[in-house]
Amino acid sequence: MDIIWYGHSCFRITERGQISVITDPFSDVIGLPLPKLKGEVATISHRSPGHDFVDAVKGMNHALTGPGEYEIGGVFITGVAMHDVDEHNNVKYNVAYIVQFDALTVLHLGDLAHVPSQSAIEALGEVNVVLVPVGGGGGLKASEAAEVIALIEPNYIVPMHYALPGLNFELDSVDKFLKEMGVSKVQEEDMLRVSAQSLPEQPQVIVLRPQS
């Protein structure tokens, strides 16, 4: 399974011979250049120009915008409601998605902004790769993201939703999260390739370089 990051919360998750899933495609109004996206499925965590610009996805024939269980082209995708409530009891809509390619699972946490309960995490099942917001703003801050990772215990951790050159709103840098996770030597990659036969025993943080 291959995972490519295009910046912000947008990834392409694919497996040879199977469909491609695009997560949270963004509009260039957020300040980042519009990437070239191609995939059969787009998952949308919430309605916002930084997360729901499905027009950018060529070849898309399924846009998933809410909780539920979906099977598309032999790939199982589960949308899980992970809404946030502020101090005024206003609900901020957010859907996390679990994408399962054969024996491998990827969890995209969308714009999660709170640390879920242990029971909510356990309901997600085993997670091989978690795509986690770390830069604050509308999503988790670095310390909260580290708490969530400790609960999920994935094989790979890929940070997202953090400060990038050109972004026209303020987020924290990825360095804060790396410090919280105790990462001294950063592992940077253009793509994360995951194999069920060679999963690391200890969780690994992979910082992906945004592709265009």
Side-chain angles (χ1 to χ4, degrees):
M1 180 178 64
D2 294 340
I3 301 174
I4 295 172
W5 186 48
Y6 295 96
H8 207 42
S9 302
C10 182
F11 294 83
R12 181 174 186 257
I13 308 166
T14 190
E15 176 74 81
R16 185 177 294 175
Q18 294 187 279
I19 63 167
S20 296
V21 178
I22 303 292
T23 68
D24 281 11
F26 58 81
S27 163
D28 56 7
V29 301
I30 69 171
L32 299 178
L34 207 59
K36 294 182 176 68
L37 301 175
K38 190 175 182 181
E40 291 81 1
V41 179
T43 63
I44 307 300
S45 63
H46 65 291
R47 292 296 185 188
S48 161
H51 300 265
D52 72 348
F53 191 55
V54 294
D55 289 350
V57 186
K58 289 186 170 62
M60 185 202 70
N61 45 38
H62 298 277
L64 308 184
T65 59
E69 295 182 359
Y70 313 90
E71 183 186 355
I72 303 168
V75 176
F76 292 91
I77 303 172
T78 306
V80 181
M82 286 193 165
H83 309 325
D84 293 292
V85 181
D86 66 16
E87 64 270 22
H88 306 296
N89 281 330
N90 296 316
V91 177
K92 180 197 161 204
Y93 188 83
N94 180 60
V95 179
Y97 290 92
I98 303 164
V99 181
Q100 183 173 355
F101 282 97
D102 299 324
L104 294 169
T105 57
V106 180
L107 171 62
H108 186 284
L109 287 170
D111 238 14
L112 183 69
H114 71 282
V115 179
S117 66
Q118 181 77 44
S119 59
I121 294 293
E122 286 172 358
L124 299 172
E126 185 179 358
V127 175
N128 300 121
V129 184
V130 65
L131 312 174
V132 57
V134 303
L140 295 167
K141 296 174 184 171
S143 58
E144 296 167 327
E147 280 187 64
V148 172
I149 295 304
L151 289 170
I152 296 174
E153 298 182 331
N155 302 102
Y156 292 102
I157 301 117
V158 180
M160 64 177 183
H161 197 273
Y162 56 81
L164 288 174
L167 201 60
N168 58 20
F169 50 89
E170 198 167 318
L171 294 175
D172 293 333
S173 75
V174 72
D175 295 339
K176 280 192 175 183
F177 174 68
L178 297 175
K179 188 175 180 183
E180 287 285 346
M181 293 295 293
V183 175
S184 54
K185 188 178 180 183
V186 182
Q187 189 173 345
E188 282 192 276
E189 304 287 350
D190 290 330
M191 175 181 72
L192 173 58
R193 178 160 285 170
V194 183
S195 166
Q197 287 74 43
S198 57
L199 293 169
E201 290 184 15
Q202 296 298 319
Q204 286 187 12
V205 178
I206 307 293
V207 176
L208 292 179
R209 303 180 190 94
Q211 305 300 300
S212 57

